[in-house]
Amino acid sequence: IDVPKVIDQSANKRSGILAKDLPRGWDREDGYAQLWDELKDPQGEWLSFDRVLELIPGSEINHIRANLEGLKCEHTDMKFDKTLDRQQSRCYRRVVELNFVSNNIVGELPDCLSELTRLRVINMPENVLSSAIPQYVGSVLTELVDIKFNYNQFSSSLPGSLGCKFYCNMINLWLFDNNISGPFPPTLGNLTSLKSLKLNNNALSGTIPHGLSNMKSLRECCLQNNNLTGAIPTNVGSMTNLRVLTLWNNELTGPIPKGIGEMQRDMRLLCLNDNFLTGKIPDSLTCMQSLVQLSIDGNDFEDMEVAEMRLVLNDKLKRTVVKL
């Protein structure tokens, strides 16, 4: 990947490389101290690509590329060139962080990104990325701990390899607001270190796998506005670190699991509304004193059950917004 050109370099456009990721000691070498100060942006963290190209001697550019660990472009019109080859990508083989936020990047992710095998963070929300998420994201880039592809136009199904054994250290997986379809991959249950899972506002179908409960570190689970069917897994109550569970506007059926009240310690937001849930509303919901909002309206509970539970919940959860 060659250094992205910034088309619009107005004051509110930011792009660059992490200052801390230049070759060690580079800022202290003779003749570079003043240059270092010129390259820094006001926050002192990122160096602008255009200034790097303008001020650094050509003989040093390749050395810097080979030692970079971070690349960043935000709010520009930078576009990936589909003709980029793997040889160019290898120039950045040490890069561990990509931040390309809101750059109007259109089309598929180029295959040459698979050469960045040390990537730990890939942050590319608010672009126009489309087609399927490449298989190499789940099979080659095995160091990833943070994936954020939200607000794009990805389609097709999720790569099952996202939940392979290499991803046991994954922390954030944000794919919300795309056009992703197909089943919820059961392999995602292998992401035992995951803290935030956001797949909402897609077209996922099928059931929520019971393996989801393996994510003992999970704090946010956002699956609303999909086409998920079947029952809420009965073992969801074992996810005791969960603070946010949003499943609204799916096609879920069956009862609310009785064990859901076991998440009472930290749960802040529980939204199960606008599904086809039936049966008895668990009494354990009244013990969830940390709740800020509880939404279970728009389901198929019996009217008498709803009326009785509304009185109990409003009495017990006085600081909670209850929608029933």
Side-chain angles (χ1 to χ4, degrees), residues 229-248:
T229 58
I232 300 172
T234 55
N235 55 0
V236 69
S238 64
M239 303 169 69
T240 53
N241 287 310
L242 206 57
R243 296 182 178 182
V244 174
L245 178 60
T246 54
L247 304 177
W248 81 73

Side-chain angles (χ1 to χ4, degrees), residues 245-264:
L245 178 60
T246 54
L247 304 177
W248 81 73
N249 199 25
N250 279 287
E251 300 174 19
L252 299 172
T253 56
I256 298 176
K258 293 181 179 180
I260 207 164
E262 295 176 14
M263 300 185 290
Q264 58 186 275

Side-chain angles (χ1 to χ4, degrees), residues 20-295:
K20 69 180 180 63
D21 293 326
L22 285 170
R24 184 170 297 176
W26 182 84
D27 57 322
R28 296 185 294 276
E29 292 180 9
D30 291 341
Y32 285 101
Q34 182 178 354
L35 178 59
W36 175 265
D37 291 333
E38 290 186 56
L39 288 170
K40 278 188 178 181
D41 74 359
Q43 296 182 358
E45 181 182 2
W46 293 94
L47 309 182
S48 65
F49 279 128
D50 53 325
R51 294 295 286 163
V52 168
L53 293 175
E54 178 183 344
L55 296 174
I56 295 179
S59 60
E60 296 288 336
I61 289 294
N62 288 337
H63 176 57
I64 289 173
R65 286 178 180 170
N67 288 276
L68 283 177
E69 294 186 5
L71 292 175
K72 179 177 182 178
C73 277
E74 291 188 0
H75 307 291
T76 74
D77 289 322
M78 186 277 289
K79 295 178 175 62
F80 283 129
D81 184 349
K82 290 294 289 182
T83 64
L84 292 174
D85 59 32
R86 293 181 181 273
Q87 188 64 37
Q88 290 174 309
S89 299
R90 293 187 184 113
C91 291
Y92 297 98
R93 60 187 179 276
R94 294 188 61 180
V95 169
V96 296
E97 182 175 347
L98 284 180
N99 280 287
F100 293 156
V101 179
S102 189
N103 282 289
N104 194 32
I105 303 173
V106 179
E108 303 176 24
L109 283 176
D111 290 341
C112 59
L113 288 184
S114 64
E115 295 294 330
L116 307 183
T117 54
R118 297 191 183 187
L119 269 182
R120 292 176 58 80
V121 175
I122 182 165
N123 187 23
M124 303 181 68
E126 301 175 29
N127 286 290
V128 198
L129 295 167
S130 58
S131 191
I133 295 174
Q135 287 292 332
Y136 66 73
V137 173
S139 60
V140 178
L141 305 181
T142 56
E143 300 295 320
L144 284 170
V145 297
D146 194 335
I147 299 177
K148 292 177 180 173
F149 283 140
N150 45 296
Y151 295 116
N152 278 286
Q153 296 180 12
F154 284 114
S155 56
S156 191
S157 57
L158 292 173
S161 53
L162 273 177
C164 71
K165 62 181 180 180
F166 300 112
Y167 287 90
C168 58
N169 294 318
M170 180 77 71
I171 295 173
N172 296 311
L173 180 58
W174 291 12
L175 305 177
F176 59 91
D177 283 274
N178 279 281
N179 300 313
I180 299 169
S181 58
F184 189 115
T187 53
L188 290 186
N190 296 329
L191 304 179
T192 53
S193 295
L194 200 69
K195 293 185 178 180
S196 181
L197 175 65
K198 295 185 178 182
L199 304 179
N200 48 291
N201 301 344
N202 281 291
L204 294 173
S205 57
T207 60
I208 301 173
H210 281 264
L212 187 71
S213 64
N214 294 333
M215 300 180 182
K216 303 300 184 184
S217 300
L218 200 63
R219 295 184 178 184
E220 295 180 292
C221 182
C222 302
L223 304 177
Q224 72 269 19
N225 291 321
N226 279 289
N227 301 316
L228 297 170
T229 58
I232 300 172
T234 55
N235 55 0
V236 69
S238 64
M239 303 169 69
T240 53
N241 287 310
L242 206 57
R243 296 182 178 182
V244 174
L245 178 60
T246 54
L247 304 177
W248 81 73
N249 199 25
N250 279 287
E251 300 174 19
L252 299 172
T253 56
I256 298 176
K258 293 181 179 180
I260 207 164
E262 295 176 14
M263 300 185 290
Q264 58 186 275
R265 185 182 62 182
D266 293 317
M267 181 63 72
R268 300 290 189 272
L269 186 64
L270 179 59
C271 297
L272 311 178
N273 49 292
D274 296 298
N275 281 285
F276 299 100
L277 300 175
T278 57
K280 181 176 174 57
I281 300 172
D283 294 334
S284 58
L285 292 182
T286 63
C287 300
M288 304 178 78
Q289 297 293 324
S290 297
L291 275 177
V292 175
Q293 180 173 328
L294 170 65
S295 299

